Amino acid sequence: MLDPLTGIEAMHFDGYVTVSQTDPLGMITVRGNFASKPFANALKKAIGIDFPGLRQITLADTSMVAWMSPDELLILSTWEDKTNLMDAIQKALGKKHALVVDVSDARRTFTLAGPNVREVIAKLAPVDITPGVFEPGEIRRTRFGQVAAAFWLVSQEEAKVICFRSVGDYMFKQLKAAATPGSELDIWN
Amino acid sequence: MLIFECPYCGVHAEETEFSPGGEAHLKRFGPGSDDTDFERYLFMRENPKGVHFERWRHVNGCGKWFNAARCTMTLEVFGTYGAQTFEPPQDLKDKITAKRPGWSWRDFS
Ligand SMILES: [Zn+2]
């Protein structure tokens, strides 16, 4: 499909792992003092999902909440839901000291799918992604090649990678290179 | 290659995920301060062979600044701790003492 924001064809590559640009997601950054009960309760009520633990990502029907740092959460939703969600959060937090920003336009998301999905990530990010060490439920902020990124495993054969929109092209190209047929390492398969 | 554990997000990662921020525990002397203090603050840095304290930032990660103690000779990292401190925690100092008896660094030992 065409990217609704740029009007260009979504990026897709069928390698030994499939790399595809996903439909744009709604992404809202919330920063504040999560140790404060009134703040945390108000936010929880607005998003309707429990907060993730350290480096965790919690999944609900159409939205997710990711732990980004001790004072930052990333709330992911569908593109259509984000405006309502943003309003709900801002209303719930009222005058409480917080930062709530819609960062959806700043990001690009890729889906990696295939039995060797861990391997493609391991080629690009300095992360121990051995089965048992890194499992679905955890989100990892790191770098892919030269650029900052975050990823999580949806299942043993599917991962999501998010990065800044400005480096989306670079990200796609390096994921494509890492997933090129013939470059399999078969470490975990 | 240095391997740090970020005290804020608990990630155990190698140094390319971090960025160095120079010497730790510098006290700022700004306008109106004594010339000697100002000069020391601006220019005088430790350059030890052995135990050293530095600031690092988990730049490709949670984004937080923290402090780290390491050996400049062997690249062994003794430990990391939060940035909101004026000196290394006692348990870290004890750990360094066990490995490098008689060490000292600025006012710490
Ligand atoms: Zn960190």
Side-chain angles (χ1 to χ4, degrees):
Chain A
M1 69 166 262
L2 296 183
D3 183 329
L5 298 175
T6 59
I8 57 169
E9 189 80 30
M11 297 180 256
H12 183 91
F13 177 69
D14 287 311
Y16 77 93
V17 162
T18 306
V19 181
S20 51
Q21 184 189 336
T22 61
D23 293 344
L25 293 171
M27 294 192 198
I28 298 168
T29 285
V30 181
R31 297 192 86 143
N33 179 9
F34 294 99
S36 149
K37 279 251 161 67
F39 173 84
N41 289 340
L43 182 61
K44 256 181 222 169
K45 224 172 154 186
I47 59 176
I49 312 176
D50 269 344
F51 288 167
L54 185 79
R55 297 203 312 277
Q56 299 293 301
I57 178 163
T58 48
L59 299 109
D61 293 340
T62 55
S63 49
M64 292 170 263
V65 184
W67 190 96
M68 301 298 270
S69 89
D71 57 359
E72 181 181 344
L73 291 179
L74 181 69
I75 296 154
L76 299 112
S77 70
T78 61
W79 186 261
E80 293 71 31
D81 285 348
K82 73 180 170 80
T83 317
N84 285 339
L85 195 57
M86 184 83 183
D87 288 347
I89 295 170
Q90 273 170 336
K91 215 170 271 163
L93 293 181
K95 286 208 164 72
K96 292 182 187 69
H97 184 64
L99 177 83
V100 182
V101 189
D102 179 354
V103 294
S104 318
D105 291 344
R107 302 279 166 79
R108 224 191 259 287
T109 313
F110 294 93
T111 301
L112 308 178
N116 284 314
V117 70
R118 286 176 183 269
E119 194 182 293
V120 168
I121 295 169
K123 284 183 185 177
L124 300 169
V127 175
D128 185 356
I129 192 175
T130 312
V133 176
F134 193 96
E135 288 295 331
E138 181 169 347
I139 182 169
R140 182 68 153 76
R141 297 179 72 180
T142 180
R143 67 177 176 88
F144 273 58
Q146 305 284 315
V147 298
F151 73 89
W152 66 94
L153 290 175
V154 179
S155 69
Q156 296 300 331
E157 301 198 352
E158 189 185 332
K160 300 275 184 197
V161 180
I162 54 180
C163 65
F164 284 114
R165 166 166 289 267
S166 56
V167 295
D169 190 49
Y170 170 86
M171 179 63 87
F172 177 67
K173 283 174 179 157
Q174 63 171 344
L175 288 170
K176 197 172 143 183
T180 300
S183 68
E184 294 89 340
L185 304 170
D186 291 324
I187 316 169
W188 293 301
N189 282 305
Chain B
M1 182 67 73
L2 299 167
I3 295 179
F4 295 111
E5 185 175 322
C6 172
Y8 295 97
C9 70
V11 154
H12 203 65
E14 48 97 343
E15 68 183 77
T16 65
E17 210 173 274
F18 301 89
S19 84
E23 193 173 315
H25 303 296
L26 289 176
K27 188 183 170 196
R28 181 174 184 270
F29 289 93
S33 62
D34 186 76
D35 277 358
T36 316
D37 285 341
F38 186 60
E39 187 215 7
R40 276 199 193 127
Y41 162 66
L42 267 191
F43 302 114
M44 304 311 274
R45 294 293 181 270
E46 295 298 300
N47 184 22
K49 180 182 179 184
V51 178
H52 194 29
F53 294 85
E54 291 169 321
R55 299 165 74 221
W56 284 80
R57 181 171 177 240
H58 196 183
V59 64
N60 286 315
C62 70
K64 299 295 178 198
W65 283 99
F66 61 92
N67 292 326
R70 69 173 180 105
C71 177
T72 58
M73 205 161 56
T74 63
L75 301 192
E76 176 179 5
V77 175
F78 300 115
T80 55
Y81 52 102
Q84 290 79 17
T85 44
F86 293 107
E87 65 175 292
Q90 191 57 46
D91 58 339
L92 179 60
K93 288 199 276 188
D94 293 344
K95 198 175 155 192
I96 299 170
T97 304
K99 291 182 168 175
R100 302 283 188 279
W103 70 278
S104 74
W105 186 88
R106 290 204 184 246
D107 297 336
F108 311 141
S109 56

